[in-house]
Amino acid sequence: MARTIQSLERAAAMLRLLAGGERRLGLSEIATSLGLAKGTAHGILRTLQQEGFVEQDPASGRYQLGAELLRLGNSYLDVHELRARALVWADDLARASGESVYLGVLHQQGVLIVHHVFRPDDSRQVLEVGAMQPLHSTALGKVLAACDPVAHTEAVEGERRSYTARTVTELKEFEGVLDLVRARGWAADVEETWDGVASLAAPIHDRRRMPVGAVGVTGAVERVCADGTLRPELVAAVRDCARAVSRDLGAGRF
């Protein structure tokens, strides 16, 4: 069995204690409940406080859970709800397009795939849920970079690696690509990340009309493109899917 890190175990136990007991607890109560020396407990609390996971009431000196945990919890719930709302629409898009469908969100300077529907042709495929894709070269990533200010900053300030001869890496040209994405409401990747592969994606918005993810299709260039351009019926299908998921999230009409 892999070894565990004692300080992390203690920090986790402390957070569970604060979440499950009284709203606010003092240092002595926390130390006694967890069987820790006061100095040890105080060191862990101070670190959690610096990271925003714990807050200390200035009047009483007692501790409670911090706002950062709420932010992380809301982030998890948002992704969970996004995936739940997108399931049926993503299946419909895969059937209509005949291609693989991916649902992605911004995560650690890239795109995290949170849902993947296989291409409906019974071919051997690999589930890519949990995989990461680059922001600057994929259709999903360019949608997020165009619509989400945080994603835009990360794409502009981060490394824009050249994956193929078509990858856009120069900043001015990349910003021009994002301007086009904003203007037309969808993004494309034609052999910019993988040779022989094309994809397109559109943004998903929540009830606050904030971008929370992107949905798109990916397939062989010869299927996704016709006469050198993306098939318009695929563009329409992806945009319709994104709008449907957005409506289910309470965004209204886009």
Side-chain angles (χ1 to χ4, degrees):
M1 180 179 295
R3 294 179 59 187
T4 58
I5 301 174
Q6 188 180 57
S7 59
L8 292 180
E9 289 181 330
R10 289 172 171 174
M14 203 168 282
L15 293 174
R16 292 192 187 99
L17 178 66
L18 290 170
E22 298 289 334
R23 179 171 173 78
R24 291 173 179 167
L25 294 173
L27 173 60
S28 294
E29 295 169 293
I30 294 171
T32 300
S33 297
L34 299 179
L36 300 175
K38 277 189 180 182
T40 300
H42 185 254
I44 296 172
L45 283 167
R46 187 171 61 247
T47 302
L48 291 173
Q49 185 178 0
Q50 289 173 351
E51 296 299 325
F53 296 132
V54 164
E55 295 174 358
Q56 186 178 27
D57 179 59
S60 66
R62 297 167 78 84
Y63 294 90
Q64 64 183 28
L65 294 179
E68 182 65 10
L69 279 177
L70 177 62
R71 187 190 70 80
L72 292 176
N74 284 340
S75 175
Y76 170 77
L77 291 173
D78 286 347
V79 171
H80 181 74
E81 182 181 8
L82 171 62
R83 184 179 180 278
R85 297 289 186 181
L87 289 176
V88 173
W89 298 112
D91 285 344
D92 288 346
L93 178 58
R95 284 192 292 269
S97 66
E99 302 295 345
S100 299
V101 173
Y102 294 89
L103 183 69
V105 299
L106 177 65
H107 181 68
Q108 294 181 348
Q109 295 80 53
V111 183
L112 174 66
I113 302 303
V114 297
H115 186 53
H116 174 199
V117 183
F118 284 167
R119 186 173 64 252
D121 62 0
D122 296 326
S123 62
R124 184 176 180 179
Q125 299 169 65
V126 177
L127 186 67
E128 294 188 43
V129 172
M132 293 291 292
Q133 293 187 2
L135 277 174
H136 69 285
S137 63
T138 62
L140 292 171
K142 283 186 272 188
V143 162
L144 294 175
C147 300
D148 183 339
V150 176
H152 178 263
T153 299
E154 292 183 350
V156 167
E157 295 181 354
E159 178 189 9
R160 290 181 298 279
R161 174 183 166 191
S162 181
Y163 294 99
T164 73
R166 293 173 175 263
T167 307
V168 175
T169 59
E170 196 273 324
L171 180 57
K172 185 176 180 179
E173 186 180 359
F174 179 64
E175 289 283 26
V177 170
L178 298 186
D179 287 341
L180 179 60
V181 172
R182 296 185 193 100
R184 65 188 182 184
W186 56 276
D189 164 12
V190 181
E191 297 189 282
E192 293 178 50
T193 311
W194 302 281
D195 288 321
V197 177
S199 61
L200 60 107
I204 296 171
H205 298 80
D206 65 7
R207 60 185 62 85
R208 300 162 296 174
R209 298 211 165 196
M210 297 294 291
V212 292
V215 63
V217 298
T218 297
V221 171
E222 58 269 22
R223 296 196 307 268
V224 176
C225 298
D227 299 322
T229 60
L230 290 158
R231 289 165 48 198
E233 65 271 24
L234 281 184
V235 175
V238 169
R239 298 192 71 187
D240 286 347
C241 177
R243 291 190 188 104
V245 179
S246 296
R247 284 196 300 270
D248 279 2
L249 288 171
R253 295 184 63 85
F254 266 81

